[in-house]
Amino acid sequence: MSRPPKTHLIRDTNDRAALDLMLSNGPVTKTRLGELVGLSKVTAGQLLTRLGERGLVEVVGVQQGGRGPNAALYGVVPSAGYVAALHIGPDQITASVADITGTELATGALDPHEASDPVEAVRATVADATRSAGITMSQLRCLSIGTPGMIDPRTGDIRFANDLPDWRAGVLADLRRTFQRPILIENDVNLAGLAEQSAGASHGVKDSVLAWIDRGLGLAVIVDGRLHRGAGGGAGEIGYLAVPGASTPHGTDSPQHAAFQSLVSVEAMDTLSRAFGLSGSGVDCVRAAADGNPDAEPFLEELARRLALGLAGICVVLDPELCVLAGEVGRAGGSVLAARVQKAIAALGPNVPTVVPTEISGDPVLRGALQIGLDTARDEVFTHQG
């Protein structure tokens, strides 16, 4: 006699909830798991037996200090699945391989010019990283990729990427044919925004934006706790934003030298720093000003004014609670630049978010890619294991 569908659904829901709890909270005892999921100790034991038979959960230790016998601690089996995450940049491809618990096992890097096409570049980078991790590519449950450019939210494929001309529509299908497993591609700034929301300055904030100020410009938009991509994946392409003092991209062969990005890109800051008689790169001057160099003070003030020209308009439309300054410039300017930008926004409009620097160290794009990859890999493991 088959199990009623409703009973099967409840069981699977409880099993997945238990798995997610152990992934987020670490090992738990049978009693504690029952309390967290809302099950009796007997039912929690049956649940753990099922997950153990599927190779998803194992005893990882004992909890000491209680009045009775030491209780077994149950945790997720790390080798139940693996994920590879990549950050594709114009000058370097970096990769991270992690087990299903999110523990990073190895990293890898490749000059994208060493490979003949995007698929080969991904394959070579992933092969190196998995080899360093001591696993095979066949053990990967998911591959997630962060890349500059627009991603079509309907297909998940790349629409275009100015800095990566070989990455074009159709590359997602090519990757899926090669790897024969779930492949995710997401805009790099969106991934930085997700990483910030998960473990950075915007954690717990429902409405926020992350302004990426680096070689290029971008904006990650979080509305009501969810990433907003736009109808065609173009939400946040603020480099094209028309602002006072800059020409429009229309009719120019160099859109990167027009609109908002012409005022505040890394290249524009190099020019600006020289105009103020400073030596070194624009980013170096931002860092020097943030460290208290009085000679760089006027330069930083002008940069904050320029940033506010674009961000104030965004705040009028979206009214975010928080604006995070990220990328190389946001990190270099820290809280000093953030405070000046907030003051400059307040002078331009009624909506003034709290402006703060990023709190994510390392590569936020890679961290965001790993985050979405783990979500998919865990779905794969739970659905298909056993």
Side-chain angles (χ1 to χ4, degrees), residues 149-321:
M150 291 188 189
I151 311 299
D152 190 329
R154 295 160 295 193
T155 65
D157 204 359
I158 292 178
R159 288 179 58 194
F160 71 87
N162 285 330
D163 285 341
L164 299 169
D166 292 334
W167 284 75
R168 75 288 172 193
V171 72
L172 179 60
D174 293 342
L175 288 167
R176 285 174 173 168
R177 278 193 296 270
T178 298
F179 286 91
Q180 294 294 305
R181 59 188 30 80
I183 307 288
L184 308 174
I185 303 178
E186 182 57 89
N187 172 265
D188 52 358
V189 179
N190 282 345
L191 290 174
L194 290 175
E196 201 77 48
Q197 182 194 33
S198 174
S202 57
H203 179 67
V205 179
K206 293 182 65 177
D207 297 296
S208 67
V209 295
L210 177 139
W212 183 266
I213 316 156
D214 209 296
R215 174 173 175 166
L217 292 182
L219 191 80
V221 180
I222 305 294
V223 177
D224 199 21
R226 299 176 63 86
L227 179 67
H228 177 71
R229 296 179 175 86
E237 292 292 335
I238 59 171
Y240 298 98
L241 187 67
V243 295
S247 60
T248 62
H250 179 69
T252 177
D253 294 331
S254 303
Q256 68 272 23
H257 296 132
F260 190 32
Q261 58 199 338
S262 71
L263 297 182
V264 294
S265 68
V266 167
E267 183 179 353
M269 273 182 280
D270 289 344
T271 303
L272 181 64
S273 65
R274 290 192 295 270
F276 277 90
L278 302 174
S279 60
S281 70
V283 174
D284 288 339
C285 294
V286 170
R287 189 174 294 109
D291 289 340
N293 183 343
D295 293 337
E297 178 84 11
F299 160 78
L300 194 70
E301 190 71 22
E302 173 60 15
L303 174 59
R305 185 194 70 82
R306 291 185 177 195
L307 285 168
L309 286 176
L311 295 176
I314 291 162
C315 293
V316 168
V317 175
L318 297 176
D319 192 19
E321 176 184 345

Side-chain angles (χ1 to χ4, degrees), residues 332-355:
S335 59
V336 175
L337 176 61
R340 290 176 181 269
V341 171
Q342 181 172 327
K343 181 179 178 181
I345 291 174
L348 295 174
N351 299 342
V352 185
T354 300
V355 182

Side-chain angles (χ1 to χ4, degrees), residues 115-152:
S116 58
D117 59 38
V119 174
E120 175 55 28
V122 170
R123 190 208 63 77
T125 311
V126 173
D128 177 63
T130 52
R131 188 163 47 246
S132 298
I135 65 170
T136 64
M137 284 198 287
S138 63
Q139 290 175 276
L140 294 175
R141 291 284 182 163
C142 177
L143 180 62
S144 60
I145 299 170
T147 178
M150 291 188 189
I151 311 299
D152 190 329

Side-chain angles (χ1 to χ4, degrees), residues 69-134:
N70 293 334
L73 285 168
Y74 295 84
V76 176
V77 177
S79 61
Y82 300 92
V83 60
L86 286 87
H87 178 185
I88 310 293
D91 301 317
Q92 187 180 50
I93 299 175
T94 54
S96 173
V97 173
D99 63 36
I100 202 67
T101 69
T103 300
E104 187 178 66
L105 304 176
T107 59
L110 179 78
D111 183 337
H113 303 102
E114 294 180 9
S116 58
D117 59 38
V119 174
E120 175 55 28
V122 170
R123 190 208 63 77
T125 311
V126 173
D128 177 63
T130 52
R131 188 163 47 246
S132 298

Side-chain angles (χ1 to χ4, degrees), residues 22 26-33 41 48 57-64 68-75:
M22 283 183 275
V28 294
T29 65
K30 183 189 307 180
T31 300
R32 180 57 179 157
L33 181 63
K41 184 177 179 179
L48 288 168
V57 169
E58 63 185 357
V59 175
V60 297
V62 294
Q63 184 180 66
Q64 300 178 352
N70 293 334
L73 285 168
Y74 295 84

